[in-house]
Coordinates of all heavy atoms in Angstrom, one line a residue:
M26 N 8.8 -4.6 -11.4 CA 8.4 -3.3 -11.0 C 9.5 -2.3 -11.3 O 10.7 -2.7 -11.0 CB 8.0 -3.2 -9.6 CG 6.7 -3.6 -9.2 SD 6.3 -3.2 -7.5 CE 6.2 -4.8 -6.8
T27 N 9.2 -1.2 -11.8 CA 10.2 -0.2 -12.0 C 9.9 1.0 -11.0 O 8.8 1.5 -11.0 CB 10.2 0.4 -13.4 OG1 10.4 -0.7 -14.3 CG2 11.2 1.5 -13.6
R28 N 10.9 1.3 -10.2 CA 10.7 2.3 -9.2 C 10.7 3.7 -9.9 O 11.6 4.0 -10.7 CB 11.8 2.2 -8.2 CG 11.6 3.2 -7.0 CD 12.7 3.0 -6.0 NE 12.4 1.9 -5.2 CZ 13.1 1.6 -4.1 NH1 14.0 2.4 -3.7 NH2 12.8 0.6 -3.4
S29 N 9.8 4.5 -9.6 CA 9.8 5.9 -10.1 C 9.6 6.8 -8.9 O 8.6 6.8 -8.2 CB 8.6 6.0 -11.1 OG 8.5 7.3 -11.5
T30 N 10.5 7.7 -8.7 CA 10.4 8.7 -7.6 C 10.5 10.1 -8.2 O 10.8 10.2 -9.4 CB 11.5 8.4 -6.6 OG1 12.8 8.6 -7.2 CG2 11.4 7.1 -6.0
G31 N 10.3 11.0 -7.4 CA 10.4 12.4 -7.8 C 11.8 12.9 -8.1 O 12.8 12.1 -8.0
A32 N 11.9 14.1 -8.4 CA 13.2 14.7 -8.6 C 14.1 14.7 -7.4 O 13.6 14.6 -6.2 CB 13.1 16.1 -9.1
K33 N 15.4 14.8 -7.6 CA 16.3 14.8 -6.4 C 16.0 16.0 -5.5 O 15.8 17.1 -6.0 CB 17.7 14.9 -7.0 CG 18.8 14.9 -5.9 CD 20.2 14.9 -6.5 CE 21.2 14.8 -5.4 NZ 22.6 14.7 -5.9
G34 N 15.9 15.7 -4.3 CA 15.6 16.7 -3.3 C 14.1 17.0 -3.1 O 13.7 17.8 -2.3
C35 N 13.3 16.2 -3.7 CA 11.8 16.3 -3.6 C 11.3 15.2 -2.6 O 10.8 14.2 -3.0 CB 11.1 16.2 -4.9 SG 9.3 16.6 -4.8
S36 N 11.6 15.5 -1.3 CA 11.4 14.4 -0.3 C 9.9 13.9 -0.2 O 9.7 12.8 0.1 CB 11.9 14.9 1.0 OG 11.3 16.0 1.4
P37 N 8.9 14.8 -0.4 CA 7.5 14.2 -0.2 C 7.3 13.1 -1.3 O 6.7 12.1 -1.0 CB 6.6 15.4 -0.5 CG 7.4 16.6 0.0 CD 8.8 16.2 -0.5
D38 N 7.7 13.3 -2.5 CA 7.5 12.3 -3.6 C 8.4 11.0 -3.2 O 7.9 9.9 -3.3 CB 8.0 12.8 -4.9 CG 7.1 13.8 -5.5 OD1 5.9 13.9 -5.0 OD2 7.5 14.5 -6.5
N39 N 9.6 11.2 -2.8 CA 10.4 10.1 -2.5 C 9.9 9.3 -1.3 O 10.0 8.1 -1.3 CB 11.9 10.6 -2.3 CG 12.5 11.0 -3.5 OD1 12.1 10.7 -4.6 ND2 13.5 11.9 -3.4
A40 N 9.4 10.0 -0.3 CA 8.9 9.4 0.9 C 7.7 8.5 0.6 O 7.5 7.4 1.0 CB 8.5 10.4 2.0
A41 N 6.8 9.0 -0.3 CA 5.6 8.2 -0.7 C 6.0 7.0 -1.5 O 5.5 5.9 -1.2 CB 4.7 9.1 -1.6
A42 N 7.0 7.1 -2.4 CA 7.5 5.9 -3.1 C 8.2 4.9 -2.2 O 7.9 3.7 -2.3 CB 8.4 6.4 -4.2
E43 N 9.0 5.4 -1.3 CA 9.7 4.5 -0.4 C 8.7 3.8 0.5 O 8.8 2.6 0.8 CB 10.7 5.3 0.5 CG 11.9 5.7 -0.3 CD 12.7 4.5 -0.8 OE1 12.8 3.5 -0.1 OE2 13.3 4.7 -1.9
G44 N 7.6 4.5 1.0 CA 6.6 3.9 1.8 C 5.9 2.8 1.1 O 5.6 1.7 1.6
F45 N 5.5 3.1 -0.2 CA 4.8 2.1 -1.0 C 5.7 0.9 -1.3 O 5.2 -0.3 -1.1 CB 4.3 2.7 -2.3 CG 3.8 1.6 -3.2 CD1 2.5 1.1 -2.9 CD2 4.5 1.1 -4.2 CE1 2.0 0.1 -3.7 CE2 4.0 0.1 -5.0 CZ 2.7 -0.4 -4.8
F46 N 6.9 1.1 -1.7 CA 7.8 -0.1 -2.0 C 8.3 -0.8 -0.8 O 8.7 -2.0 -0.9 CB 8.9 0.4 -2.9 CG 8.5 0.6 -4.3 CD1 8.3 1.9 -4.8 CD2 8.2 -0.4 -5.2 CE1 7.9 2.1 -6.1 CE2 7.8 -0.2 -6.5 CZ 7.6 1.1 -6.9
G47 N 8.3 -0.1 0.3 CA 8.8 -0.8 1.6 C 7.8 -1.8 2.1 O 8.1 -2.8 2.6
R48 N 6.5 -1.5 1.9 CA 5.4 -2.4 2.4 C 5.5 -3.8 1.7 O 5.5 -4.8 2.4 CB 4.1 -1.8 2.2 CG 2.9 -2.5 2.8 CD 2.8 -2.5 4.2 NE 2.7 -1.2 4.7 CZ 2.9 -0.8 6.0 NH1 3.2 -1.7 6.9 NH2 2.8 0.5 6.3
P49 N 5.5 -3.9 0.4 CA 5.7 -5.2 -0.2 C 6.9 -5.9 0.2 O 6.9 -7.1 0.3 CB 5.6 -4.9 -1.7 CG 5.0 -3.6 -1.9 CD 5.3 -2.8 -0.6
R50 N 8.0 -5.2 0.4 CA 9.2 -5.9 0.8 C 9.0 -6.5 2.1 O 9.4 -7.7 2.3 CB 10.4 -4.9 0.9 CG 11.1 -4.6 -0.3 CD 12.4 -3.9 -0.1 NE 12.3 -2.6 0.6 CZ 12.3 -1.4 0.0 NH1 12.4 -1.3 -1.3 NH2 12.2 -0.4 0.8
Q51 N 8.3 -5.9 3.1 CA 8.1 -6.5 4.4 C 7.1 -7.6 4.3 O 7.2 -8.6 4.9 CB 7.6 -5.4 5.4 CG 8.6 -4.4 5.8 CD 8.0 -3.3 6.6 OE1 6.8 -3.2 6.8 NE2 8.9 -2.5 7.2
E52 N 6.0 -7.3 3.7 CA 4.8 -8.3 3.7 C 4.9 -9.4 2.7 O 4.3 -10.4 2.9 CB 3.5 -7.5 3.5 CG 3.2 -6.5 4.6 CD 1.9 -5.8 4.4 OE1 1.4 -5.8 3.3 OE2 1.4 -5.1 5.3
F53 N 5.6 -9.2 1.6 CA 5.6 -10.1 0.5 C 6.9 -10.8 0.3 O 7.0 -12.0 0.4 CB 5.1 -9.5 -0.8 CG 5.1 -10.4 -2.0 CD1 4.2 -11.4 -2.1 CD2 6.1 -10.3 -3.0 CE1 4.2 -12.2 -3.2 CE2 6.1 -11.1 -4.1 CZ 5.1 -12.1 -4.2
F54 N 8.0 -10.1 0.1 CA 9.3 -10.6 -0.3 C 9.9 -11.3 0.9 O 10.4 -12.4 0.8 CB 10.2 -9.6 -0.8 CG 9.7 -9.0 -2.2 CD1 9.3 -7.8 -2.3 CD2 9.8 -9.8 -3.3 CE1 8.8 -7.3 -3.5 CE2 9.3 -9.4 -4.5 CZ 8.9 -8.1 -4.6
H55 N 10.0 -10.7 2.1 CA 10.7 -11.3 3.2 C 10.0 -12.4 3.9 O 10.5 -13.0 4.8 CB 11.1 -10.2 4.2 CG 12.0 -9.2 3.6 ND1 13.2 -9.5 3.1 CD2 11.9 -7.8 3.5 CE1 13.9 -8.5 2.7 NE2 13.1 -7.4 2.9
R56 N 8.8 -12.7 3.6 CA 8.0 -13.8 4.2 C 8.0 -15.0 3.4 O 7.3 -16.0 3.8 CB 6.6 -13.3 4.5 CG 6.5 -12.2 5.5 CD 5.1 -11.9 5.9 NE 5.1 -10.9 6.9 CZ 4.0 -10.6 7.5 NH1 2.8 -11.1 7.2 NH2 4.0 -9.6 8.5
R57 N 8.6 -15.1 2.3 CA 8.6 -16.2 1.4 C 9.9 -16.7 0.9 O 10.8 -15.9 0.8 CB 7.7 -15.9 0.2 CG 6.3 -15.7 0.5 CD 5.5 -15.4 -0.8 NE 4.1 -15.4 -0.6 CZ 3.5 -14.3 -0.2 NH1 4.1 -13.2 -0.1 NH2 2.2 -14.4 0.0
S58 N 10.0 -17.9 0.4 CA 11.1 -18.4 -0.3 C 10.6 -18.6 -1.8 O 9.6 -19.2 -2.0 CB 11.6 -19.7 0.2 OG 12.5 -20.3 -0.7
F59 N 11.4 -18.0 -2.7 CA 11.0 -18.1 -4.1 C 11.8 -19.2 -4.8 O 11.8 -19.2 -6.0 CB 11.1 -16.8 -4.8 CG 10.2 -15.7 -4.2 CD1 10.7 -14.8 -3.3 CD2 8.9 -15.8 -4.5 CE1 9.8 -13.8 -2.8 CE2 8.0 -14.8 -3.9 CZ 8.5 -13.9 -3.1
A60 N 12.5 -20.1 -4.1 CA 13.2 -21.1 -4.7 C 12.3 -22.0 -5.5 O 11.3 -22.5 -5.0 CB 13.9 -21.9 -3.6
G61 N 12.6 -22.3 -6.7 CA 11.8 -23.1 -7.6 C 10.6 -22.5 -8.2 O 9.8 -23.2 -8.8
V62 N 10.4 -21.2 -8.0 CA 9.2 -20.5 -8.5 C 9.6 -19.9 -9.9 O 10.6 -19.2 -10.0 CB 8.8 -19.4 -7.6 CG1 7.6 -18.6 -8.2 CG2 8.4 -20.0 -6.2
S63 N 8.8 -20.2 -10.9 CA 9.1 -19.6 -12.2 C 8.8 -18.2 -12.2 O 8.1 -17.6 -11.3 CB 8.3 -20.4 -13.3 OG 6.9 -20.1 -13.1
M64 N 9.2 -17.5 -13.3 CA 8.9 -16.1 -13.4 C 7.4 -15.9 -13.5 O 6.8 -14.9 -12.9 CB 9.6 -15.5 -14.7 CG 9.3 -14.0 -14.9 SD 9.9 -13.0 -13.5 CE 11.6 -12.9 -13.8
D65 N 6.7 -16.7 -14.3 CA 5.2 -16.6 -14.4 C 4.6 -16.8 -13.0 O 3.6 -16.2 -12.6 CB 4.7 -17.6 -15.4 CG 5.0 -17.2 -16.8 OD1 5.2 -16.0 -17.1 OD2 5.0 -18.1 -17.7
G66 N 5.1 -17.8 -12.3 CA 4.6 -18.1 -10.9 C 4.8 -16.9 -10.0 O 3.9 -16.5 -9.2
F67 N 6.0 -16.3 -10.1 CA 6.3 -15.1 -9.3 C 5.3 -14.0 -9.6 O 4.8 -13.3 -8.7 CB 7.7 -14.7 -9.4 CG 8.1 -13.4 -8.7 CD1 8.3 -13.4 -7.4 CD2 8.1 -12.2 -9.4 CE1 8.6 -12.2 -6.7 CE2 8.4 -11.0 -8.8 CZ 8.6 -11.0 -7.4
I68 N 5.1 -13.7 -10.9 CA 4.3 -12.6 -11.3 C 2.8 -12.9 -10.8 O 2.2 -12.0 -10.3 CB 4.3 -12.5 -12.9 CG1 5.7 -11.9 -13.3 CG2 3.2 -11.6 -13.4 CD1 5.9 -11.9 -14.8
G69 N 2.4 -14.1 -10.9 CA 1.1 -14.5 -10.4 C 1.0 -14.2 -8.9 O 0.0 -13.7 -8.4
M70 N 2.0 -14.6 -8.1 CA 2.0 -14.4 -6.7 C 2.0 -12.9 -6.3 O 1.3 -12.5 -5.4 CB 3.2 -15.1 -6.0 CG 3.2 -16.6 -6.1 SD 4.8 -17.3 -5.7 CE 4.9 -17.0 -3.9
L71 N 2.8 -12.2 -7.1 CA 2.9 -10.7 -6.8 C 1.5 -10.1 -7.2 O 1.0 -9.2 -6.4 CB 4.0 -10.1 -7.6 CG 4.2 -8.6 -7.4 CD1 4.5 -8.3 -6.0 CD2 5.4 -8.1 -8.3
N72 N 0.9 -10.5 -8.3 CA -0.4 -9.9 -8.6 C -1.4 -10.3 -7.6 O -2.2 -9.4 -7.2 CB -0.8 -10.5 -10.0 CG -2.1 -9.9 -10.4 OD1 -2.2 -8.7 -10.6 ND2 -3.1 -10.7 -10.6
D73 N -1.4 -11.5 -7.1 CA -2.4 -11.8 -6.0 C -2.1 -11.0 -4.7 O -3.1 -10.5 -4.1 CB -2.2 -13.3 -5.6 CG -2.7 -14.3 -6.7 OD1 -3.4 -13.8 -7.6 OD2 -2.3 -15.4 -6.6
Y74 N -0.9 -10.7 -4.4 CA -0.6 -9.9 -3.3 C -1.1 -8.4 -3.5 O -1.7 -7.8 -2.6 CB 1.0 -9.8 -3.0 CG 1.3 -8.7 -2.0 CD1 1.1 -8.9 -0.7 CD2 1.8 -7.5 -2.4 CE1 1.4 -7.9 0.3 CE2 2.1 -6.5 -1.5 CZ 1.9 -6.7 -0.2 OH 2.2 -5.7 0.7
M75 N -0.9 -7.9 -4.7 CA -1.3 -6.5 -5.0 C -2.8 -6.4 -4.9 O -3.3 -5.4 -4.5 CB -0.7 -6.1 -6.3 CG 0.8 -5.9 -6.3 SD 1.5 -4.9 -5.0 CE 0.9 -3.3 -5.5
V76 N -3.5 -7.4 -5.4 CA -5.0 -7.4 -5.3 C -5.4 -7.4 -3.9 O -6.3 -6.7 -3.4 CB -5.6 -8.6 -6.1 CG1 -7.1 -8.7 -5.8 CG2 -5.4 -8.3 -7.6
W77 N -4.8 -8.3 -3.1 CA -5.1 -8.3 -1.6 C -4.8 -7.0 -1.0 O -5.6 -6.5 -0.2 CB -4.2 -9.5 -1.0 CG -4.4 -9.5 0.5 CD1 -5.3 -10.0 1.2 CD2 -3.4 -8.8 1.4 NE1 -5.1 -9.8 2.6 CE2 -3.9 -9.1 2.7 CE3 -2.3 -8.1 1.3 CZ2 -3.3 -8.6 3.8 CZ3 -1.6 -7.7 2.4 CH2 -2.1 -7.9 3.7
Y78 N -3.6 -6.4 -1.3 CA -3.2 -5.1 -0.7 C -4.2 -4.1 -1.1 O -4.6 -3.3 -0.2 CB -1.8 -4.8 -1.3 CG -1.3 -3.5 -0.7 CD1 -0.5 -3.5 0.4 CD2 -1.5 -2.2 -1.3 CE1 0.1 -2.4 0.9 CE2 -1.0 -1.1 -0.8 CZ -0.2 -1.2 0.4 OH 0.3 0.0 0.9
R79 N -4.7 -4.0 -2.3 CA -5.7 -3.0 -2.7 C -7.1 -3.2 -2.1 O -7.7 -2.3 -1.7 CB -5.7 -3.0 -4.2 CG -6.6 -1.9 -4.8 CD -6.9 -2.1 -6.3 NE -7.7 -3.3 -6.5 CZ -7.6 -4.0 -7.6 NH1 -6.9 -3.7 -8.5 NH2 -8.4 -5.1 -7.7
D80 N -7.5 -4.5 -2.1 CA -8.9 -4.8 -1.8 C -9.2 -5.3 -0.4 O -10.2 -5.0 0.2 CB -9.5 -5.8 -2.8 CG -9.5 -5.3 -4.2 OD1 -9.4 -4.1 -4.4 OD2 -9.6 -6.1 -5.1
K81 N -8.3 -6.1 0.2 CA -8.7 -6.8 1.4 C -7.9 -6.3 2.7 O -8.3 -6.5 3.8 CB -8.4 -8.3 1.2 CG -9.1 -8.8 0.0 CD -10.2 -9.7 0.5 CE -10.8 -10.5 -0.7 NZ -12.1 -10.1 -1.1
R82 N -6.7 -5.8 2.5 CA -5.8 -5.4 3.6 C -6.5 -4.5 4.5 O -7.1 -3.5 4.1 CB -4.6 -4.8 3.1 CG -3.5 -4.5 4.1 CD -2.2 -4.1 3.4 NE -1.2 -3.8 4.3 CZ -1.0 -2.6 4.9 NH1 -1.7 -1.6 4.5 NH2 -0.1 -2.4 5.7
I83 N -6.5 -4.7 5.8 CA -7.2 -3.9 6.8 C -6.3 -2.6 7.0 O -5.2 -2.7 7.3 CB -7.3 -4.6 8.1 CG1 -8.1 -5.9 8.0 CG2 -7.9 -3.7 9.2 CD1 -9.6 -5.7 7.5
K84 N -7.0 -1.5 6.9 CA -6.4 -0.2 7.2 C -6.8 0.1 8.6 O -7.9 0.2 8.9 CB -6.9 0.9 6.2 CG -6.6 0.7 4.8 CD -5.3 1.3 4.4 CE -5.3 2.8 4.6 NZ -4.0 3.4 4.4
T85 N -5.8 0.2 9.5 CA -6.1 0.5 10.9 C -6.8 1.8 11.1 O -7.6 2.0 12.0 CB -4.8 0.5 11.7 OG1 -3.9 1.5 11.2 CG2 -4.2 -0.8 11.8
E86 N -6.6 2.8 10.2 CA -7.3 4.1 10.2 C -8.8 3.9 10.1 O -9.6 4.6 10.7 CB -6.7 4.9 9.1 CG -7.3 6.3 9.0 CD -6.7 7.1 7.8 OE1 -5.6 6.7 7.3 OE2 -7.3 8.1 7.5
Y87 N -9.2 2.9 9.2 CA -10.6 2.7 9.0 C -11.2 1.5 9.7 O -12.4 1.4 9.9 CB -10.9 2.5 7.5 CG -10.4 3.7 6.7 CD1 -9.6 3.4 5.5 CD2 -10.7 5.0 7.0 CE1 -9.2 4.4 4.7 CE2 -10.2 6.0 6.2 CZ -9.5 5.7 5.0 OH -9.0 6.7 4.3
G88 N -10.3 0.6 10.2 CA -10.8 -0.6 10.8 C -11.4 -1.6 9.9 O -12.0 -2.6 10.3
T89 N -11.2 -1.4 8.6 CA -11.7 -2.3 7.5 C -10.8 -2.2 6.3 O -9.9 -1.4 6.3 CB -13.1 -1.9 7.2 OG1 -13.7 -2.9 6.3 CG2 -13.3 -0.5 6.6
G90 N -11.1 -3.0 5.3 CA -10.4 -2.9 4.1 C -10.8 -1.7 3.3 O -11.9 -1.2 3.5
I91 N -9.9 -1.2 2.4 CA -10.2 0.0 1.7 C -11.4 -0.1 0.8 O -12.2 0.8 0.6 CB -8.9 0.6 0.9 CG1 -9.1 2.0 0.4 CG2 -8.6 -0.4 -0.2 CD1 -9.2 3.0 1.5
M92 N -11.6 -1.3 0.2 CA -12.7 -1.5 -0.7 C -14.0 -1.5 0.1 O -15.0 -0.9 -0.4 CB -12.6 -2.7 -1.6 CG -11.5 -2.6 -2.6 SD -11.7 -1.2 -3.7 CE -13.0 -1.8 -4.8
D93 N -14.0 -2.1 1.3 CA -15.2 -2.0 2.1 C -15.5 -0.6 2.5 O -16.7 -0.2 2.6 CB -15.0 -2.9 3.4 CG -14.9 -4.3 3.1 OD1 -15.5 -4.8 2.0 OD2 -14.4 -5.1 3.9
R94 N -14.5 0.2 2.8 CA -14.6 1.6 3.1 C -15.2 2.4 2.0 O -16.2 3.2 2.1 CB -13.3 2.2 3.5 CG -13.3 3.7 3.8 CD -13.8 4.0 5.1 NE -13.6 5.5 5.3 CZ -14.2 6.1 6.2 NH1 -15.1 5.6 7.0 NH2 -13.9 7.4 6.3
R95 N -14.7 2.1 0.8 CA -15.3 2.8 -0.4 C -16.7 2.4 -0.7 O -17.5 3.3 -1.1 CB -14.4 2.5 -1.6 CG -13.1 3.1 -1.6 CD -12.2 2.7 -2.8 NE -10.9 3.3 -2.7 CZ -9.9 3.0 -3.4 NH1 -9.9 1.9 -4.2 NH2 -8.7 3.6 -3.2
R96 N -17.1 1.1 -0.5 CA -18.5 0.7 -0.6 C -19.4 1.4 0.4 O -20.5 1.8 0.1 CB -18.6 -0.8 -0.5 CG -18.2 -1.6 -1.7 CD -18.5 -3.1 -1.5 NE -17.6 -3.8 -2.5 CZ -16.5 -4.4 -2.2 NH1 -16.0 -4.3 -1.0 NH2 -15.8 -4.9 -3.2
K97 N -18.9 1.5 1.6 CA -19.7 2.1 2.7 C -19.9 3.6 2.3 O -21.0 4.1 2.6 CB -18.9 2.0 4.0 CG -19.7 2.6 5.2 CD -18.9 2.6 6.5 CE -18.8 1.1 7.0 NZ -18.1 1.1 8.3
L98 N -19.0 4.3 1.7 CA -19.1 5.7 1.3 C -19.9 5.8 0.0 O -20.1 7.0 -0.4 CB -17.7 6.3 1.2 CG -16.9 6.4 2.5 CD1 -15.5 7.0 2.2 CD2 -17.7 7.4 3.5
G99 N -20.2 4.7 -0.7 CA -20.9 4.8 -1.9 C -20.0 5.1 -3.1 O -20.6 5.6 -4.1
L100 N -18.7 5.0 -3.0 CA -17.8 5.3 -4.1 C -17.7 4.2 -5.1 O -17.3 4.5 -6.2 CB -16.5 5.7 -3.5 CG -16.5 6.9 -2.5 CD1 -15.1 7.1 -1.9 CD2 -16.9 8.1 -3.2
V101 N -18.0 3.0 -4.7 CA -18.0 1.9 -5.7 C -19.2 1.0 -5.5 O -19.9 1.1 -4.4 CB -16.7 1.0 -5.5 CG1 -15.5 1.7 -5.8 CG2 -16.7 0.4 -4.1
A102 N -19.6 0.3 -6.5 CA -20.8 -0.5 -6.5 C -20.6 -1.8 -5.7 O -19.5 -2.3 -5.5 CB -21.2 -0.9 -7.9

């Protein structure tokens, strides 16, 4: 991943980027040992995490996953 943030002094952009990149650090990187994992294996694990994060992770604001919320609102099939 390449981190991309806003211009220097643009705190709303930087805060959003820090919030996004902080979550995988807490939930993905710090909970595992990557000893003996190949680069392809790591990429696969990270991809699985990102799919889970996008589709299945429970948002406390909604009480459900974001994709379930979108389905309920009729935004996705």
Side-chain angles (χ1 to χ4, degrees):
M26 279 191 245
T27 302
R28 185 180 282 193
S29 175
T30 59
K33 184 175 182 177
C35 187
S36 59
D38 288 346
N39 292 338
E43 288 297 324
F45 172 77
F46 284 103
R48 183 74 58 194
R50 275 194 303 262
Q51 290 174 349
E52 294 180 348
F53 178 73
F54 293 110
H55 294 304
R56 292 186 177 190
R57 293 184 171 86
S58 170
F59 296 105
V62 176
S63 68
M64 182 58 78
D65 289 335
F67 174 79
I68 290 170
M70 291 168 70
L71 183 59
N72 185 59
D73 291 344
Y74 169 78
M75 294 306 292
V76 169
W77 172 83
Y78 183 89
R79 181 192 69 207
D80 296 342
K81 306 251 190 249
R82 186 171 179 269
I83 301 297
K84 297 271 297 174
T85 56
E86 180 179 343
Y87 305 132
T89 185
I91 191 69
M92 289 306 284
D93 291 337
R94 173 80 171 160
R95 289 176 181 165
R96 280 187 201 97
K97 186 185 287 185
L98 293 173
L100 300 174
V101 295

